[in-house]
Amino acid sequence: VSSATKTFFGSRWVAAPEHVRDLGAVAGLPAGFRASGVACGIKPSGRSDLGLLRCDAEQPISAARFTTSSAAAAPVLLTRERCDLSALRAAAVNSGCANAATGERGLRDASHMQEAAAQALALGPHEVALASTGSISHYLPMERILDGIARAGADLRADGDSEFQRAIETTDSFEKRASLEVVLHGGVVRLSAQCKGAGMISPRFATMLCFVQTDAALAAGSVDALLDRALARSFDRISVDGQLSTNDTVLLIASGASGIDVAAASDDEQRFAAALDALLRQLAVLVAADGEGAGRIARVRVRGGDPAEAELAARAIANSPLVKAALHGGDPNWGRILQAVGGALPGSAPLPLEIAIEGMTVCASGAATEYDEEALKRSVQGPEIDYEVTLPGEGAEAEVLFSDLSHEYVTLNAEYTT
Amino acid sequence: VSSATKTFFGSRWVAAPEHVRDLGAVAGLPAGFRASGVACGIKPSGRSDLGLLRCDAEQPISAARFTTSSAAAAPVLLTRERCDLSALRAAAVNSGCANAATGERGLRDASHMQEAAAQALALGPHEVALASTGSISHYLPMERILDGIARAGADLRADGDSEFQRAIETTDSFEKRASLEVVLHGGVVRLSAQCKGAGMISPRFATMLCFVQTDAALAAGSVDALLDRALARSFDRISVDGQLSTNDTVLLIASGASGIDVAAASDDEQRFAAALDALLRQLAVLVAADGEGAGRIARVRVRGGDPAEAELAARAIANSPLVKAALHGGDPNWGRILQAVGGALPGSAPLPLEIAIEGMTVCASGAATEYDEEALKRSVQGPEIDYEVTLPGEGAEAEVLFSDLSHEYVTLNAEYTT
């Protein structure tokens, strides 16, 4: 268990609670869930591209979050409009085509896909969330989708999470999946997730998707709030290239099949929340670390100022191609951090910034300090680099995790669409 | 004259007025100006790095604009604070060191540099604008600076603009300089400029600087307004990497030495304004085209919506690494334009965007249209690509010119600082 724990909770920016155990990759889904994945020919490569997830409990509790893009894809629009997001029982997901920028025909295709999945899963269409990821502006190949749904529907298994995971991946270079055990006072519950994403990244092979399952019997009002809180510290805090996808979706379903009740505002709910936080935060780190072409990731924490300023400054640093290129090159070029903050917070009065890299103060009151250049350079050669920025004033804090900017990113994103 | 005109006014996005003639690179400065440039050892390469510009008229009229960064460099802070920006008579400029993030010592160094330049030019310190460009966080090497000022002060020449140009350049891969003749009803005046910049770009070798001279006798109230108007259509409209420098400076000085009066609100003022617009716009295009590693540039025009939305959308497209990588690859991947706009303008209602590339409509009402994919791909292989985006609603328009994202950009910006 100890080495498996290290495998999933690998980032120094994620504190895995002691009451959470990593069960490793072969544990299967929590009680009350089945999943499957098949290749139905959406991806030219022939790789797996259609997945189904079903909760077999009669009255699961769910919560979902979607991209805030005003160019949201058809599956997002349809799921938001047609489903009761607190009572979802299944998800039908395809990769290889985002069904985005597809207009009325895209909505009809999504509706058709949802109805077919509902039929295959013996559920109502309003109980089935849809998600798609892949190329923008292409229509779903409906014959293949329907064929895939029929086959995936016949193949649902309690240990189908790895097949489901493969079906939702696109440019991911490693698996982002976890099966955890959460020790509550009331008993042991399971928590699992399947996630894909190499950042918000390419609209060609776009999008971050994450499906989370637990067999805990969570309180009806809790699931939504727990997801909100965990997202605020995980997927809301990462950037590969500052590009919001048309298809981002996160879905949490609690089956209650363990029979272990987690009452609202109880100590066990806190324990469950801590587990969910750690799970999503580690997945978010993995998405940033798998940013297209990424070789190194960083965390920037901005303290001080007001919340809007701290957020602006942190985002400006995380999305600066100069900061990201320096991160890539193992170059502790903090002038670029200062420049990014200065540009994000315009003003004629000089900003008395403090900047620290890996705990070494390099800039105070907006001016260079004395520091050991060689030690500083050595400190930025690892896989995870810490930047800290202090603005004048107190109270606010904003954190963003981000990947570097590499040649590989340019190569992956400069190729022709077709 | 015709072929020289083509040489400077090379962009299809700049309409050179018929009453403006390009005099080519060897014409020298307008009447009443002298300049020089020397190598004084600030740059390790030994290349030219200190320039002086002097207006010999007793009462020239000037206007200046600076970076809006709250991390502005010492020369910017000092010039803004100490000088009467409408009565500047000279500029002292160094490359190789930005004198940014240098605190109190940086301000003392800048003050010392300004006083030395004033002495060498027989002017008051408040009449000498300062500008620096180069590495952030390093102190000016004052002995070399003072030596360079003394030598440059002894070398001022009416045809010193090319030496001055070389002294202000950093990573520029080609010269951005012009000498124009402007035919007014009242006679022929001269207009010239020396400009450096490879975008806002690297804080290591940062910054856009532009010095503009004319011998027209402009009205006292006009110079500031003319510069404002021209900047709004030129340097305010370009982006290489969305990174605002700590040192950006634009300075316009009118010597009046031609004796040709240009009255406020006159037809001749309009003609002069048109020349200044074309000059700065072409220089801005050249700065974008010389963006570090740039191989191709684009113009995006967003129409419709309200002004803030149009501006946000245009900036989001121009600064999207996905759009820029596609531009680099000659890939007409308009899904990335849709994604960038959708991310910049959050909202749950689908945005009925229209997108055209090189005049071909590829997206209408937010959905793909029928188009000739081969023709579209051919259309994006040239050096200047046009994107047009239409938001719902009328009235607003925002334009941004921007460079692509290349391997060379990553290489240039991923190397170690020292």
Side-chain angles (χ1 to χ4, degrees), chain A residues 258-348:
Chain A
S258 67
I260 295 168
D261 281 317
V262 179
S266 66
D267 188 39
D268 270 354
E269 191 185 75
Q270 289 299 317
R271 290 169 76 89
F272 184 85
L276 184 65
D277 274 4
L279 170 63
L280 295 196
R281 195 165 162 83
Q282 179 66 48
L283 287 172
V285 169
L286 293 178
V287 169
D290 200 18
E292 287 179 347
R296 190 173 277 137
I297 60 177
R299 174 177 72 168
V300 58
R301 282 192 296 183
V302 177
R303 293 196 178 87
D306 65 40
E309 283 177 345
E311 182 75 19
L312 263 179
R315 296 273 171 197
I317 293 164
N319 292 327
S320 161
L322 293 171
V323 172
K324 294 163 89 74
L327 176 65
H328 177 65
D331 174 359
N333 189 333
W334 60 266
R336 298 178 178 182
I337 296 173
L338 175 122
Q339 168 268 323
V341 177
L345 305 177
S348 55

Side-chain angles (χ1 to χ4, degrees), chain A residues 2 42 74 89 94 100 197 218 312 314 340 359 362 365-366 386:
Chain A
S2 160
I42 309 169
R89 295 178 67 182
N94 75 275
L218 292 163
L312 263 179
V362 293
S365 301
D386 249 321

